[in-house]
């Protein structure tokens, strides 16, 4: 059962990462095939495990400010900034549709 | 060597300079991405002042260490061996790094790894592969059959294993006395086994992950690489304990311990899980495993075969959970706040996409895409939740065995000794990880402490190690058993020309090669 181009396209949108070439798609196919082995295991009545520390209480500290004031330090690593803002290109513009963007999937 | 520092036989600056010189002459190993020469010498000078005043901070004062390049180090580039973080200068120290520095340790530099710690060879980083120092040892060279003269010296070097290969190589080649790695599926124990050093994976929740760039939040732990078990205990003592900055560290007070000088294993029950006789396990390692079991038997320990029935599914389970958590963890790399940023400026989404296309290698992109697939609404229940259920079964397998009276499990760490790089790259990263993590992965799944102890040299003259897995938070017992075993096997010291040339005084005796 091959993964459809619609799903591949959807994944590229969600991940904002591209498959790059046939090898990339093949990699996903193999990964799914490998993961399918999980269905051999009987997990009836088994609860999913989020963390091995599930029997312990999470540590919550007091809501006091103990550090911060490091704006300049943090801004040093950003490439585009103005005053104390990180500068991003315009938002709310969805990634171009499959037919309109540069992706290997176009050929499929 | 710590005693030598205290007594003034060697000074911290001398030690630091020698290590730096050795790093230079072993550059071909490619173990280090960044060497922080200036800051290291400064730290060494400070340490020297403290020793002169008779006020060293502790055993680690003046000891040169190295840190895997996925730990944040203030003022020093942290790259995770990826284009995504090239040029990224951390604004803070990871908690474990801070702890080392507070103890006076001298940070020599950042070690090489697989990109974002994804891999089992330390071959897939942007700065190139790490070479196993044993490739250049007398022991390996004596055993290699020369095919054609000069061509061979270059092409038959073996891998370090991964993903903490740089750290393992750094410790193995004597350029530092201890190194930090990380362990998510075996990334500290695997290269430890291939490089002939001690590799400790502590219990999940014992050591802070704050500042360790995350791969799988529910399985990652900082790993400790040293030349002997006592040193690992010292490092553990200075690193373990609750960190308010990492809410996944447990709140119990950690009591640093010293291991008994004459450990006794006669009252223990050692379990041999039969499923660890995995397909592909070399007959050499199988024989060593069996010999090890006999050693314990002869010492009076109870050695019994046990079963961890879901072992064969741990790799599949890991594959799904790891890719899912990776998909989430890698989402932070968008070029806005730090790291690589593409010139594409049409929209935020297209900038993110271009940045990520340019910054991540195939392995990372592959895992992100797979992870996103397993997390799709239509797949969530069947893959992600299913894997979480299987994880519980795996963790329960261990609980059952430990509840039945077994104290420690003894297993192989790897399926074989280190393979030549040219052979390793014939298969892709995922296939290799699938094969190589099989013996180490389950301990991460269950959050248990585990340690690789170098055991013997293979027929090819390369190190082979065995693994001990202990109960949660029972590192003292685990390390005691490991120390006992280490004393029994007397693993040989690597015979490296470069090391012998540089360090005739300090490293002449095995004892001074360690700091505790």
């Amino acid at each position: 059962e091959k993964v459809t181009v619609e799903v591949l396209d959807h994944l590229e949108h969600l991940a904002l990462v591209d498959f790059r070439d046939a090898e990339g798609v093949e990699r996903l196919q193999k990964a799914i095939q490998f993961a399918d082995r999980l269905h051999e295991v009987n997990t009836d009545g088994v609860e999913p495990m989020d963390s091995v520390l599930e029997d312990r209480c999470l540590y919550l500290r007091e809501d006091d400010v103990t550090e911060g004031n490091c704006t300049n330090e943090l801004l040093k690593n950003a490439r585009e900034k103005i005053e104390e803002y990180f500068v991003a290109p315009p938002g709310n513009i969805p990634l171009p549709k499959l037919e309109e963007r540069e992706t290997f999937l176009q050929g499929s | 060597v710590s005693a030598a520092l205290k007594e003034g036989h060697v000074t911290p600056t001398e030690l630091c300079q020698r290590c730096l010189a050795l790093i230079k002459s072993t550059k071909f190993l490619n173990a280090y991405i960044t060497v922080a020469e200036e800051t290291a010498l400064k730290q060494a000078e400070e340490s020297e002042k403290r020793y002169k005043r008779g006020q060293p901070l502790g055993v680690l004062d003046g000891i040169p260490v190295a840190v895997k390049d996925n730990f944040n180090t203030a003022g020093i580039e942290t790259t995770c061996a990826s284009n995504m973080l090239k040029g990224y200068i951390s604004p803070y120290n990871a908690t474990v790094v801070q702890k080392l520095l507070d103890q006076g340790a001298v940070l020599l530099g950042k070690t090489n790894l697989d990109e974002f710690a994804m891999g089992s060879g330390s071959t897939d980083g942007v700065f190139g592969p790490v070479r196993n120092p044993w490739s250049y040892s007398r022991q390996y060279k004596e055993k290699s059959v020369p095919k054609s003269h000069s061509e061979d010296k270059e092409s038959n070097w073996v891998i370090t294993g991964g993903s903490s290969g740089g750290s393992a190589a750094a410790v193995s080649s004597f350029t530092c006395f201890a190194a930090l790695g990380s362990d998510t599926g075996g990334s500290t124990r695997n290269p430890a086994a291939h490089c002939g050093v001690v590799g400790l994976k502590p219990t999940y929740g014992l050591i802070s992950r704050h500042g360790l760039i995350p791969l799988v939040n529910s399985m990652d732990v900082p790993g400790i690489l040293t030349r002997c078990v006592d040193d690992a205990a010292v490092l553990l003592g200075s690193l373990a304990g609750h960190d308010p900055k990492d809410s996944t560290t447990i709140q119990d007070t950690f009591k640093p311990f010293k291991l008994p000088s004459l450990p006794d294993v006669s009252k223990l029950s050692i379990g041999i899980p039969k499923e660890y006789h995995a397909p592909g396990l070399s007959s050499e390692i199988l024989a060593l495993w069996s010999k090890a079991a006999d050693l314990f038997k002869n010492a009076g320990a109870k050695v019994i075969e046990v079963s961890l029935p879901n072992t064969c599914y741990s790799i599949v389970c890991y594959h799904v959970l790891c890719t899912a958590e990776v998909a989430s963890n890698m989402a932070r790399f968008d070029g806005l706040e730090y790291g690589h940023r593409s010139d594409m400026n049409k929209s935020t989404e297209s900038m993110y996409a271009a940045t990520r296309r340019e910054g991540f290698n195939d392995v990372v992109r592959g895992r992100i895409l797979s992870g996103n697939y397993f997390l799709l609404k239509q797949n969530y229940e069947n893959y992600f939740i299913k894997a979480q259920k299987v994880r519980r079964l795996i963790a329960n397998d261990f609980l059952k065995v430990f509840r039945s009276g077994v104290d420690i499990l003894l297993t192989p760490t790897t399926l074989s000794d280190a393979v030549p790089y040219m052979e390793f790259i014939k298969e892709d990263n995922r296939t290799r990880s699938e094969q190589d993590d099989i013996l180490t992965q389950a301990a991460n799944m269950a959050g248990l402490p585990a340690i690789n102890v170098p055991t013997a040299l293979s027929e090819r003259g390369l190190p082979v190690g065995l693994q001990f897995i202990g109960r949660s938070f029972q590192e003292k017992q685990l390390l005691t058993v490991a120390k006992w075993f280490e004393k029994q096997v007397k693993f040989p010291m690597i015979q490296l020309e470069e090391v012998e040339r540089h360090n005739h005084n300090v490293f002449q005796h095995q004892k001074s090669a360690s700091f505790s």
Side-chain angles (χ1 to χ4, degrees), chain A residues 3 7 10-12 14-20 27-28 30-32 34-43 46-54 56-59 61 67 73-74 77-80 86-95, chain B residues 88-89 91 204 218 242 245 247-248 250-252 313 315-316 319-320 336-338 341 343 345-353 356-357 362 365 368-370 372-374 376 382-383 386-393 430 434 445-447 473:
Chain A
V3 185
V7 173
H10 186 43
L11 288 176
E12 280 197 346
L14 284 176
L16 287 183
V17 145
D18 64 318
F19 281 96
R20 188 79 39 113
R27 206 175 284 130
L28 176 67
K30 286 209 196 113
I32 301 170
F34 186 56
D36 281 335
R37 283 196 58 211
L38 273 180
H39 303 125
E40 293 167 23
V41 189
N42 182 348
T43 51
V46 181
E47 282 299 299
M49 179 184 241
D50 291 314
S51 164
V52 296
L53 299 176
E54 60 189 2
R56 291 173 184 259
C57 282
L58 201 65
Y59 170 74
R61 67 187 181 109
E67 56 178 23
E73 276 302 303
L74 298 181
N77 281 307
R79 216 189 85 172
E80 314 243 349
F86 294 111
V87 179
N92 265 334
I93 301 175
L95 208 62
Chain B
Y88 168 69
I89 311 279
Y204 180 85
S218 66
H242 177 66
K245 293 187 184 167
S247 61
T248 58
I250 58 158
Q251 294 150 61
D252 305 359
Y313 294 107
I315 279 291
V316 191
H319 164 73
V320 174
L336 264 188
E337 300 101 329
Y338 45 74
R341 177 173 173 147
D343 290 328
N345 244 331
K346 288 215 191 88
S347 67
T348 0
E349 286 210 11
S350 61
M351 187 277 274
Y352 292 172
R356 292 155 73 80
R357 184 184 328 137
D362 287 347
R365 283 188 358 263
I368 294 173
L369 289 163
S370 302
N372 275 105
Y373 179 82
F374 298 131
L376 286 176
N382 281 335
Y383 289 96
K386 181 79 182 179
Q388 286 194 311
K389 292 180 181 177
V390 175
R391 180 174 188 178
R392 183 178 296 283
L393 291 179
R430 189 187 61 83
E434 196 180 303
M445 208 47 95
F473 304 107

Side-chain angles (χ1 to χ4, degrees), chain B residues 265-484:
Chain B
V265 298
S266 56
K267 299 186 189 61
L268 293 176
S269 169
I270 313 283
I272 311 283
K274 61 181 191 209
E275 291 83 2
Y276 279 66
H277 185 350
L281 185 65
S282 84
S283 46
E284 263 189 317
I285 299 191
L286 184 59
L288 277 171
W289 187 19
S290 177
K291 251 172 112 179
D294 288 339
L295 268 174
F296 282 99
K297 248 181 247 166
N298 295 335
K302 183 167 151 214
V303 177
I304 55 170
E305 190 187 76
V306 296
S307 175
L308 298 167
N310 292 293
T311 301
C312 60
Y313 294 107
S314 91
I315 279 291
V316 191
C317 184
Y318 175 64
H319 164 73
V320 174
L321 294 180
C322 173
T323 51
E325 294 212 33
V326 159
S328 169
N329 279 321
M330 296 294 128
R332 72 191 68 196
F333 297 106
D334 54 22
L336 264 188
E337 300 101 329
Y338 45 74
H340 173 69
R341 177 173 173 147
S342 167
D343 290 328
M344 160 65 75
N345 244 331
K346 288 215 191 88
S347 67
T348 0
E349 286 210 11
S350 61
M351 187 277 274
Y352 292 172
T355 297
R356 292 155 73 80
R357 184 184 328 137
E358 293 159 20
F360 290 141
N361 74 0
D362 287 347
V363 178
V364 179
R365 283 188 358 263
R367 290 202 196 187
I368 294 173
L369 289 163
S370 302
N372 275 105
Y373 179 82
F374 298 131
L375 291 171
L376 286 176
K377 255 187 260 190
Q378 69 245 40
N379 296 327
Y380 197 78
E381 189 69 41
N382 281 335
Y383 289 96
F384 185 68
I385 300 288
K386 181 79 182 179
Q388 286 194 311
K389 292 180 181 177
V390 175
R391 180 174 188 178
R392 183 178 296 283
L393 291 179
I394 294 169
N396 285 345
D397 277 355
F398 282 103
L399 275 175
K400 249 182 246 157
V401 163
F402 285 129
R403 269 193 204 131
S404 74
V406 169
D407 299 299
I408 301 275
L409 297 169
L410 165 63
T411 79
T413 314
T414 54
L415 294 175
S416 72
D417 56 5
V419 301
Y421 174 71
M422 298 308 284
E423 204 184 295
F424 185 78
I425 53 175
K426 287 190 190 146
E427 294 279 2
D428 74 75
N429 184 292
R430 189 187 61 83
T431 314
R432 280 301 180 199
S433 302
E434 196 180 303
Q435 297 161 344
D436 302 332
D437 289 345
I438 217 167
L439 301 168
T440 47
Q441 209 302 300
N444 297 86
M445 208 47 95
L448 299 171
I451 186 170
N452 170 77
V453 181
T455 307
L457 293 184
S458 69
E459 264 172 35
R460 289 162 65 217
L462 294 172
V464 165
L466 287 177
Q467 173 178 237
F468 295 96
I469 305 175
R471 298 173 196 223
S472 279
F473 304 107
Q474 300 304 313
E475 271 79 354
K476 184 169 183 192
Q477 185 177 65
L478 179 69
L479 289 173
T480 304
V481 173
K483 180 171 176 176
W484 180 87

Side-chain angles (χ1 to χ4, degrees), chain B residues 15-25 35 37 40-41 108:
Chain B
L15 201 55
C16 182
Q17 276 158 352
R18 273 190 228 192
C19 286
L20 288 170
L22 188 54
I23 292 175
K24 285 202 183 93
S25 58
V35 180
E37 193 163 329
L41 285 168
L108 294 174

Side-chain angles (χ1 to χ4, degrees), chain B residues 69-297:
Chain B
D69 208 13
N70 60 352
F71 284 92
N72 275 287
T73 43
I76 301 176
E77 193 179 2
T78 299
T79 67
C80 293
S82 175
N83 277 320
M84 190 57 93
L85 287 177
K86 249 195 197 163
Y88 168 69
I89 311 279
S90 314
Y92 71 110
N93 278 322
T95 298
V96 288
V97 172
Q98 191 60 55
K99 285 189 173 190
L100 286 178
L101 294 174
D102 288 343
Q103 290 284 306
V106 172
L107 179 57
L108 294 174
K110 310 297 289 299
T111 57
N112 204 350
L113 57 155
D114 281 303
E115 182 160 339
F116 281 110
M118 298 186 201
S120 58
S122 301
T123 52
D124 275 321
V126 111
F127 298 101
V130 185
R131 298 186 184 202
N132 191 327
W134 285 84
S135 316
Y136 303 94
S137 68
R138 208 162 287 153
Q139 290 107 327
Y140 178 62
K141 288 195 227 171
E142 275 168 8
K143 298 288 178 98
S144 356
V145 179
K147 292 172 203 131
S148 63
H149 20 251
S150 58
E151 184 195 274
D152 234 55
K153 191 168 195 259
E154 266 311 294
S155 63
N156 78 344
W157 56 269
V158 298
I159 58 165
T160 49
S163 59
S164 311
S167 284
V171 173
S172 168
S173 59
F174 287 83
T175 57
C176 64
F177 283 76
L180 290 186
S182 65
D183 197 310
T184 307
S187 291
T188 290
R189 294 160 284 154
N190 176 293
H194 287 315
C195 294
V197 298
V198 171
L200 170 64
K201 173 215 169 291
T203 311
Y204 180 85
L206 186 60
I207 299 188
S208 172
R209 291 181 299 112
H210 175 75
L212 166 61
I213 295 171
L215 182 63
V216 183
N217 293 298
S218 66
M219 295 184 219
D220 287 350
V221 291
I224 293 171
L225 294 141
T226 55
R227 286 192 284 275
C228 70
V229 178
D230 274 326
D231 287 355
V234 171
L235 258 284
L236 184 68
S238 56
L239 297 177
H242 177 66
D243 180 16
K245 293 187 184 167
D246 177 357
S247 61
T248 58
T249 51
I250 58 158
Q251 294 150 61
D252 305 359
T253 335
F254 176 76
K255 288 191 213 88
F257 50 81
K258 211 167 175 215
L259 299 172
S261 40
L262 292 167
D264 172 29
V265 298
S266 56
K267 299 186 189 61
L268 293 176
S269 169
I270 313 283
I272 311 283
K274 61 181 191 209
E275 291 83 2
Y276 279 66
H277 185 350
L281 185 65
S282 84
S283 46
E284 263 189 317
I285 299 191
L286 184 59
L288 277 171
W289 187 19
S290 177
K291 251 172 112 179
D294 288 339
L295 268 174
F296 282 99
K297 248 181 247 166

Side-chain angles (χ1 to χ4, degrees), chain B residues 1-65:
Chain B
V1 77
S2 189
L5 282 171
K6 229 173 166 185
E7 274 146 49
H9 296 316
V10 65
T11 68
T13 44
E14 271 169 358
L15 201 55
C16 182
Q17 276 158 352
R18 273 190 228 192
C19 286
L20 288 170
L22 188 54
I23 292 175
K24 285 202 183 93
S25 58
T26 51
K27 216 166 172 197
F28 54 90
L29 293 177
N30 203 18
Y32 288 81
I33 292 176
T34 305
V35 180
E37 193 163 329
E38 268 179 52
T39 51
L41 285 168
K42 242 184 246 147
Q43 285 160 12
E45 275 164 29
E46 293 298 309
S47 171
E48 197 156 314
K49 288 189 198 139
R50 290 190 292 266
Y51 273 104
K52 284 210 175 99
R53 287 198 305 266
Q55 290 168 339
L57 293 166
V59 179
L60 288 178
D61 205 334
I63 302 290
V65 299

